[in-house]
Amino acid sequence: MDIESSRSPSLRVERLGKRYRVGSKRPFDLWALKDVSFTVEPGTILGVIGPNGAGKTTLLKVLSRVTPPTEGRVVGRGRVVPLLALGAGFQQDLSGRENIFLNAAMYGISASEVEERLDDIVQFAGLDDFLDTPVKRYSSGMYLRLAFSVAINMRPDILLADEVLAVGDMEFQERCLERVQESGRAGMTVLFVSHDMDAIARLCDRVLWLSAGQMMAIGPPDQVVAEYQASAWSSINRRRQTKKSGGHVCKAGEILFARLVSAKGKEVGAIKVEDPVWLHIGFRTAMPRLDVRAQIDVMARGALAFRSVQPVPMPFDGPAEGIAKVQIPPHLLAETTYTVNTSLAFFEGDKPYTCELDNALAFHVYDSAKGDSARGTYKGQMRGVVSPKLEWHVEALHEAALPEGGGLS
Amino acid sequence: MSGASMQPALARDEWVIEPRGEGARAVARDVWRYRRLLRFFASRSFQKLYARTVLGWSWIFIRPLFPLLVTTLVFGQVLSVTSGSNVPYFLFLVVGVTPWEFFASNLMWGTRSLELNRGMLSRIYLPRLILPIAMVAPALVTFLIHLGVIAVAIFYYRWSTGMWFFQPALVGWAVQGFLLAWLLSLGIALWTSVPALVARDVRFTLGYVLGFWIFLTPIMYSLSSVPADYRWAFALNPMTSVVESFKFGVLGLGAIDSRQLLTSWGIALLTLASGLVFFSRAERNAADKA
């Protein structure tokens, strides 16, 4: 890339708007995008986040010329390769090799250019032995690898990736992300749509947050992702708590709310792994004198991550309102979404009453991967429902001969 | 990508996306850039044709031949319609049906071209003009089979009656008729294919129109047998020129009416040009309708 071209933006979006006419009986206008303006410098990986229906996919469709904008314009530079709907152009009956050429033709790329890159494509996809097999015999993983490999090896100046890296096995996902980053350093601009905030925070240089077709923010990933999650989760939590199910009320009292509160006392919906956070459970008692014991079940990835119980019941004079607070220490939770079931036990002497509020709260934990979290400098996938920061040591053992490969303490 | 309308000149590899289309030149350039897809969509349309049938590829022969035999039986034998010359009715009929069937099937497939590739349209960009153009493949194959039937019939009648009906010197007129049929059907398909994406009515209606149209075209009967009062209606029908050109070009039957021929070409070119303008505007929103 010469100096002249590196000076001007790779993509300039000006007041872009896209209107759909929806509904057949009483049609009305829906602006899937409205007044969206931003520029992207070459080599930038721009994350695009937002709830479903925010206009993320529409934006990529406009940029890839699948659908025209209603207003505004886009000025771009160089070859655009979309990875919308991965493998959309694949033909089941054709072999892997034939599909490579077909796919390239659909990007408007010449056969001779594909010929040159064929080895790279096949190698990255790891499909040497299956190149002449019809793709309908491919596993979904092979399918994905081929599609991604074709796209990235077309050397796009602008790569449009829509949620595609959310599929496929983890090892390949990591290789894709690595490759995207590598190409980014070489000057490729990437628009990366994802709901995976971990990937967004780790991969992107900037993040664009869309909501209902409007631009909410564009800026550094940490900041925008945190704002987005705070907004997204607080609206979800509000919805949860207005739902009256009845289980949260018992004869002795009721659970009023559950909140996640930062060290500064602000209600939050997303936290960083390194930040301590407080969980507040508001309740009301209906009897003069009770012993109160609170309990939380923290769920993640469909499993119970852990249960925490207030160690000793506390006497409480009432009827009155109270709040139970529990601190969740930093560097305990993993980068994922948690939901919390809360329950309160009220004891009138030996007689217990229980209130339960399931799904009282949901929040997201993310890692900005600055090297001081449990993952350190590791870029790979962390797994499990907790991610405690543990102490590690590696040392040599005197003179003793170690078996091949060495050993860790 | 049309540099002319932009205020600041664009660098060589810059492009612009705007609400309005980029004009016919950009569309043509794009079709050229994506030309390799023509072959792909052509062969794909063909594969779809007889997928999931027991007889498979034999349908390619059965479908054109069966109606020919029925029509010959009904019109040639039962109703005793003649070619108005010494040409046997079957041969007369095949030569008329050949360009008509090409026209009708190119029109039908062209109309369905976007609809049949609906899934692709909403997901990836490609110059949509490629689709109605590529869909000529099935029609071309039927056309070739008909040509084969004509050849066999000519040799058969040479053997059975000793007469040689083929006029090689005039064959250029048949080629001209074929081109006319092609451009006309493509022109109409450019008008119908985008509406057919949202309304299947287009395709159904077209089926009836074609069923009617074939009777208004001198295919099963000769133009000379049409009463003079109705000739004007036939003169306005460009398919009359196509069929007459074919009959003249292959069998030397009838004559070329140059005024009518020019009218037909005028109609075809006008349909094609207006179709191109309509299509290039309408197709931009095809993905939203797909």
Side-chain angles (χ1 to χ4, degrees):
Chain A
M1 188 158 282
D2 57 50
I3 300 161
E4 183 52 43
S5 63
S6 61
R7 236 182 250 149
S8 62
S10 167
L11 197 60
R12 197 165 74 237
V13 175
E14 295 166 0
R15 303 183 65 86
L16 200 65
K18 172 72 187 178
R19 184 184 57 211
Y20 284 108
R21 184 144 274 254
V22 290
S24 51
K25 285 231 171 95
R26 227 170 281 129
F28 60 96
D29 288 344
L30 177 83
W31 286 90
L33 288 174
K34 184 78 185 153
D35 248 342
V36 173
S37 305
F38 60 90
T39 54
V40 189
E41 303 303 318
T44 304
I45 303 179
L46 178 73
V48 182
I49 59 173
N52 290 328
K56 307 185 295 288
T57 301
T58 305
L59 175 64
L60 294 204
K61 277 191 171 175
V62 170
L63 294 182
S64 60
R65 297 214 285 159
V66 169
T67 188
T70 311
E71 52 180 42
R73 69 174 197 153
V74 183
V75 183
R77 167 204 299 284
R79 173 182 291 171
V80 180
V81 171
L83 261 171
L84 319 167
L86 206 45
F90 277 14
Q91 289 305 303
Q92 296 296 319
D93 292 328
L94 300 182
S95 72
R97 184 196 304 274
E98 288 164 322
N99 266 303
I100 291 175
F101 283 93
L102 174 62
N103 222 230
M106 287 187 177
Y107 295 137
I109 290 160
S110 73
S112 59
E113 193 176 337
V114 182
E115 203 79 63
E116 266 170 45
R117 315 262 168 82
L118 195 61
D119 288 344
D120 292 344
I121 294 171
V122 175
Q123 202 190 2
F124 188 81
L127 291 172
D128 307 73
D129 300 339
F130 302 94
L131 198 56
D132 294 306
T133 310
V135 295
K136 65 181 167 194
R137 308 241 178 277
Y138 281 22
S139 70
S140 55
M142 290 157 77
Y143 207 82
L144 175 80
R145 295 208 297 270
L146 183 60
F148 180 84
S149 184
V150 173
I152 198 86
N153 280 298
M154 291 303 114
R155 313 232 173 115
D157 295 299
I158 301 174
L159 180 75
L160 307 173
D162 189 1
E163 204 54 270
V164 287
L165 302 171
V167 271
D169 61 272
M170 283 181 182
E171 190 238 317
F172 184 68
Q173 269 185 38
E174 289 307 320
R175 271 174 61 206
C176 289
L177 295 183
E178 238 168 65
R179 183 64 188 267
V180 165
Q181 272 181 318
E182 206 176 282
S183 306
R185 282 191 291 272
M188 178 178 75
T189 301
V190 184
L191 259 70
F192 178 52
V193 169
S194 184
H195 287 288
D196 181 353
M197 293 304 141
D198 315 335
I200 289 272
R202 209 139 30 90
L203 197 65
C204 297
D205 306 309
R206 287 171 81 211
V207 172
L208 167 67
W209 169 18
L210 291 176
S211 181
Q214 315 255 352
M215 269 179 72
M216 303 298 285
I218 185 164
D222 270 6
Q223 191 187 321
V224 178
V225 165
E227 278 173 38
Y228 164 60
Q229 287 182 324
S231 123
W233 290 114
S234 71
S235 70
I236 285 171
N237 290 335
R238 258 197 303 282
R239 226 173 304 139
R240 276 173 207 284
Q241 285 164 23
T242 50
K243 210 164 51 186
K244 291 262 178 250
S245 57
H248 63 294
V249 185
C250 64
K251 209 175 158 192
E254 65 176 307
I255 298 176
L256 296 173
F257 61 82
R259 275 183 202 141
L260 202 63
V261 178
S262 73
K264 289 176 193 151
K266 222 176 91 186
E267 185 177 351
V268 291
I271 55 170
K272 292 185 187 174
V273 284
E274 67 264 31
D275 289 342
V277 72
W278 289 87
L279 210 150
H280 291 187
I281 305 166
F283 62 90
R284 177 189 300 139
T285 61
M287 292 180 178
R289 191 181 164 79
L290 292 167
D291 290 326
V292 179
R293 170 176 254 171
Q295 173 187 313
I296 53 170
D297 280 354
V298 178
M299 323 281 295
R301 295 181 169 145
L304 176 64
F306 60 88
R307 165 174 290 184
S308 180
V309 184
Q310 183 187 321
V312 187
M314 203 196 82
F316 197 80
D317 284 324
E321 291 186 0
I323 195 163
K325 302 178 182 180
V326 54
Q327 194 206 33
I328 298 170
H331 296 299
L332 168 68
L333 300 179
E335 303 160 60
T336 187
T337 302
Y338 290 91
T339 55
V340 181
N341 298 341
T342 57
S343 81
L344 276 180
F346 301 105
F347 300 92
E348 188 186 18
D350 281 346
K351 198 176 171 196
Y353 300 91
T354 319
C355 311
E356 282 172 350
L357 183 57
D358 284 351
N359 290 322
L361 185 68
F363 62 95
H364 194 88
V365 179
Y366 63 96
D367 187 346
S368 38
K370 297 209 177 81
D372 53 357
S373 64
R375 70 159 61 241
T377 59
Y378 176 63
K379 295 285 181 205
Q381 194 90 28
M382 299 293 280
R383 312 184 75 159
V385 291
V386 290
S387 186
K389 192 175 179 182
L390 305 179
E391 219 174 298
W392 281 83
H393 291 285
V394 179
E395 56 205 28
L397 283 181
H398 313 297
E399 306 281 318
L402 286 170
E404 275 299 305
L408 287 178
S409 61
Chain B
M1 288 190 189
S2 61
S5 62
M6 311 315 318
Q7 302 91 1
L10 293 174
R12 201 175 49 83
D13 58 345
E14 270 190 337
W15 44 263
V16 173
I17 296 172
E18 286 185 313
R20 59 187 178 75
E22 296 157 329
R25 266 182 63 192
V27 170
R29 199 167 40 227
D30 246 16
V31 169
W32 178 249
R33 194 158 77 95
Y34 284 79
R35 64 190 176 280
R36 277 172 313 129
L37 288 181
L38 279 170
R39 215 180 61 199
F40 161 69
F41 281 108
S43 69
R44 180 175 140 108
S45 70
F46 207 59
Q47 285 158 4
K48 276 190 177 173
L49 209 46
Y50 299 108
R52 260 178 277 127
T53 56
V54 177
L55 296 180
W57 291 88
S58 357
W59 279 112
I60 295 178
F61 297 97
I62 298 170
R63 266 171 69 162
L65 293 185
F66 191 71
L68 276 178
L69 296 176
V70 172
T71 316
T72 307
L73 215 67
V74 174
F75 282 77
Q77 299 295 314
V78 180
L79 297 176
S80 307
V81 179
T82 66
S83 65
S85 67
N86 62 348
V87 175
Y89 184 74
F90 179 76
L91 182 57
F92 171 81
L93 179 68
V94 183
V95 172
V97 159
T98 300
W100 170 267
E101 274 301 312
F102 170 74
F103 166 80
S105 97
N106 191 31
L107 175 50
M108 223 36 185
W109 286 103
T111 299
R112 298 192 65 189
S113 59
L114 297 187
E115 175 218 326
L116 287 171
N117 294 291
R118 191 185 283 280
M120 217 171 261
L121 286 189
S122 59
R123 290 196 279 185
I124 46 182
Y125 171 79
L126 47 97
R128 280 98 185 204
L129 187 54
I130 279 184
L131 295 172
I133 295 177
M135 280 298 197
V136 76
L140 264 182
V141 169
T142 313
F143 183 72
L144 291 177
I145 290 167
H146 276 127
L147 288 187
V149 174
I150 293 176
V152 169
I154 283 170
F155 281 106
Y156 170 79
Y157 288 117
R158 164 88 204 188
W159 170 75
S160 67
T161 67
M163 296 215 287
W164 183 250
F165 295 106
F166 183 47
Q167 307 290 333
L170 300 173
V171 88
W173 289 105
V175 174
Q176 172 270 141
F178 169 78
L179 284 177
L180 178 56
W182 189 343
L183 296 184
L184 183 65
S185 48
L186 179 60
I188 303 174
L190 291 178
W191 278 98
T192 52
S193 51
V194 179
L197 203 51
V198 280
R200 294 173 73 192
D201 318 47
V202 174
R203 171 152 62 98
F204 296 160
T205 311
L206 200 59
Y208 288 118
V209 169
L210 285 171
F212 189 50
W213 196 343
I214 188 172
F215 287 108
L216 296 182
T217 307
I219 293 168
M220 300 171 209
Y221 50 86
S222 64
L223 187 61
S224 56
S225 65
V226 175
D229 289 354
Y230 299 108
R231 286 286 172 86
W232 63 270
F234 283 79
L236 282 179
N237 174 6
M239 284 312 287
T240 301
S241 298
V242 169
V243 170
E244 287 300 301
S245 298
F246 228 74
K247 285 178 176 170
F248 182 72
V250 178
L251 304 171
L253 280 182
I256 294 294
D257 178 340
S258 56
R259 218 180 78 190
Q260 186 188 337
L261 196 61
L262 285 178
T263 312
S264 300
W265 271 97
I267 293 173
L269 291 178
L270 203 67
T271 312
L272 186 66
S274 59
L276 276 172
V277 171
F278 172 78
F279 186 86
S280 57
R281 289 195 185 157
E283 64 92 24
R284 285 177 58 75
N285 294 309
D288 301 341
K289 292 176 185 157

